[in-house]
Amino acid sequence: MSALVSPASGFALAVLGYYAFGGLVSRFFPDGNFGSIFSRAIITSIVVVSFFFSGSGKGQRYLFLYPFIIFVLLYSLRLVENVVILGIEIKPGNGIVFGFFLVSGVLSALLLSRTFREMSDEHFSVAMSLLCVIFLIGLFLNRQQLTIIGGSRLSLEKINPIAMGHTAFGFIIYYLLSFKRSRRLTIEAMIFVPILLSVAVWARSRGAYLAGGGSLVLYALLLEGRRRLVTLLGAAVVIAALLALFGTEYVDVVSQRLSAIDAETDSSTQTRSLLFAGAWQQFADDWAFGRFAVEMRSNFYPHNIYLESLMALGVLGSIPFAVHLLLAIRATVGVIRSRRFPLVAVFAAVLFIREAIASAGSGSLWGNSAFWVASVMVITFWYGSKWERRSFMPRPKGALEFLSPQ
C-alpha cells in the first residue's frame, strides 16, 4: 500500500495517470466531465498524500525553482485579469483552466519537487507497470469504439489521437530505459512495447511520432563517448527487430502521416497556421507585456506554449519562463550524462525532452501538466542533488544502452 502513495508513484500518476485512466473513464463515464474530473482529483490527492507522508524537503528553499514560481504568478495574474476584468470565457471553461494549471500542474510539480530524495525506483516501476496495464485494459474495453469515433485514427471520447499517441510513447520510453532492470520488466517490455507501438502508430499523431522519436534520439546523442556509439547501435538493433516483427506497414503509416504536413491540404496544419499567425500578431501588438491568454479570433490556445507565453506575457513576462527552460535543459543534459541518478530522474529528463518538443505544436500553458511536472522534477533532481551534496546510486542500463560498458 505504501508504494501506491509514495512520491515516485505520485510522479508517475502526475505525468501519465490522467490519460492512462482515460479508457476506463470513456467506458464507464462516457457522458460529461465527472469521470475526468474525478480521476484528476484522485491523482492529485495521491500526490498530496505522498507529500505529507514524506519526511524530507519540506523546509528547504530551492532557489532554482524561483523562475518557475515567478512565471506561475505572472501567468496566473494574466488569467485572472482576462477572466475577471475582461470577462473572457476560456475554452473549455475557466474553472477547468485554473484547475488544470494550478492543481494538476503547479501544485503537483511543487509538492513532488520536495520529495525527490525519497523517490524509489522500485515504487516508480510498480506504479508505471500498473498504469500501463490500466491504459491497455481501458483500450481493450473500448476496442469496438476506438476507430468508430476516430475514423482511421485511434480515438476515444476521453482520449483524442494526440493524447493517445503521447501516452503510448511515454510508456515506450519507460520500458526502453528500464529494459534490463529486472526479469519482470524485461518480460513486460517484450510483451507491452509492440502493443504500445501499435497504439502510437495507429493513433496517427504526427506530434507523438516527432516528439517521442525525437526524445529518444536526443537521449542517445546526449550520452558521451563510447556510450553514445553503442547506444545508437543498440537502438538500430531494436528498430531492426521491430521491423522484422511488423514489416514495413508501420513505416508506411508513419511516412504517410508525416508527409501530410501541408498547410495547403491538411486541415490540422491549416488550423495551427492560423492560430500561430493570430498569436504572433497579438504578441507584436503588445510585445513588452502581452495582453491575452488566448488567441482572440478562435478564443483558443495557439498550440505552441512558447508563442503562447509571448502572446500572454510579452518579452518581459516570458523571461522567467525562458530561464526555467534553460535550467531544465542544463539539468536534462547533466542527468542523462551522469551515471549516478536513478531511473526516475532519467525518465523525467527524457520526458521533459519529449514534452518540450511536443509543446511546440500542441497543448497549452495551462493544460500541459506533464511538461511542468517533468521540467520541475529534472531541475530538482540535478540542482537539488548538487545543492544538498547528495549522490544517487548508479542506475541500471536500459534497452538503448544494453551494449554499453559499465
Side-chain angles (χ1 to χ4, degrees):
M1 183 63 183
S2 61
L4 297 179
V5 293
S6 69
S9 299
F11 170 66
L13 285 165
V15 294
L16 287 174
Y18 177 67
Y19 288 114
F21 286 103
L24 297 181
V25 172
S26 290
R27 179 68 175 82
F28 297 107
F29 304 97
D31 300 322
N33 294 320
F34 171 77
S36 299
I37 295 174
F38 180 73
S39 64
R40 281 193 181 268
I42 292 296
I43 290 169
T44 304
S45 298
I46 292 176
V47 172
V48 172
V49 169
S50 72
F51 169 76
F52 283 108
F53 273 82
S54 171
S56 65
K58 297 175 185 177
Q60 295 289 338
R61 290 187 177 182
Y62 296 146
L63 297 179
F64 43 80
L65 292 182
Y66 278 19
F68 167 71
I69 295 171
I70 293 171
F71 177 79
V72 166
L73 292 175
L74 293 176
Y75 182 65
S76 298
L77 288 174
R78 176 63 73 207
L79 289 175
V80 170
E81 186 257 352
N82 277 193
V83 169
V84 176
I85 298 178
L86 300 181
I88 297 175
E89 179 70 21
I90 303 175
K91 297 177 183 178
N94 294 335
I96 293 177
V97 168
F98 281 102
F100 281 15
F101 180 59
L102 295 178
V103 179
S104 298
V106 174
L107 178 64
S108 295
L110 290 177
L111 292 181
L112 289 168
S113 70
R114 299 291 180 170
T115 63
F116 79 101
R117 290 174 295 176
E118 297 185 24
M119 287 194 176
S120 161
D121 276 354
E122 180 181 358
H123 291 172
F124 177 67
S125 295
V126 170
M128 289 291 288
S129 296
L130 286 175
L131 285 175
C132 184
V133 170
I134 290 170
F135 174 63
L136 295 178
I137 288 176
L139 297 185
F140 177 78
L141 292 176
N142 292 278
R143 59 193 181 279
Q144 293 182 340
Q145 288 76 35
L146 278 174
T147 55
I148 293 176
I149 295 177
S152 60
R153 306 176 68 180
L154 297 183
S155 178
L156 292 174
E157 185 66 28
K158 303 299 181 182
I159 318 178
N160 61 37
I162 297 173
M164 192 175 296
H166 283 310
T167 303
F169 248 113
F171 288 117
I172 290 172
I173 291 170
Y174 159 69
Y175 279 116
L176 290 179
L177 292 177
S178 64
F179 181 72
K180 292 188 67 178
R181 178 175 173 81
S182 69
R183 181 178 299 177
R184 173 181 67 83
L185 288 174
T186 301
I187 295 173
E188 284 183 21
M190 295 175 67
I191 295 173
F192 291 152
V193 168
I195 301 174
L196 291 165
L197 183 63
S198 297
V199 173
V201 169
W202 290 108
R204 294 179 182 265
S205 171
R206 292 187 296 252
Y209 299 159
L210 296 172
S215 64
L216 291 172
V217 170
L218 287 175
Y219 166 74
L221 293 177
L222 284 174
L223 297 172
E224 294 183 302
R226 187 180 176 189
R227 294 175 65 204
R228 178 189 303 166
L229 175 61
V230 296
T231 299
L232 291 172
L233 291 174
V237 172
V238 172
I239 292 172
L242 292 174
L243 287 175
L245 179 63
F246 294 112
T248 60
E249 181 182 11
Y250 282 15
V251 176
D252 294 338
V253 171
V254 174
S255 300
Q256 291 173 5
R257 188 60 182 157
L258 291 176
S259 65
I261 303 178
D262 184 354
E264 298 294 329
T265 59
D266 182 65
S267 59
S268 176
T269 306
Q270 290 173 352
T271 300
R272 279 168 169 74
S273 297
L274 292 174
L275 290 171
F276 291 172
W280 181 260
Q281 185 58 53
Q282 288 177 205
F283 162 64
D285 292 340
D286 296 282
W287 64 269
F289 298 102
R291 191 67 181 92
F292 300 106
V294 292
E295 199 277 327
M296 293 301 293
R297 291 183 301 183
S298 63
N299 194 34
F300 211 56
Y301 54 85
H303 287 73
N304 181 312
I305 66 170
Y306 313 109
L307 180 56
E308 185 179 356
S309 176
L310 291 171
M311 176 189 73
L313 297 173
V315 172
L316 298 179
S318 296
I319 290 175
F321 184 38
V323 174
H324 176 72
L325 284 172
L326 291 174
L327 290 173
I329 292 170
R330 173 64 187 93
T332 294
V333 174
V335 168
I336 290 176
R337 288 186 172 178
S338 174
R339 291 176 175 270
R340 63 189 179 90
F341 286 90
L343 170 64
V344 62
V346 180
F347 179 78
V350 180
L351 189 67
F352 164 71
I353 297 175
R354 198 278 299 272
E355 293 298 320
I357 297 173
S359 295
S362 184
S364 61
L365 285 172
W366 56 263
N368 199 343
S369 303
F371 173 84
W372 296 118
V373 173
S375 61
V376 166
M377 288 309 303
V378 73
I379 288 173
T380 304
F381 272 113
W382 177 251
Y383 291 100
S385 64
K386 293 170 70 68
W387 189 287
E388 299 178 8
R389 300 180 183 276
R390 185 182 190 279
S391 293
F392 293 98
M393 294 296 292
R395 61 185 174 88
K397 293 182 290 184
L400 296 183
E401 294 178 89
F402 69 91
L403 294 176
S404 182
Q406 295 288 347

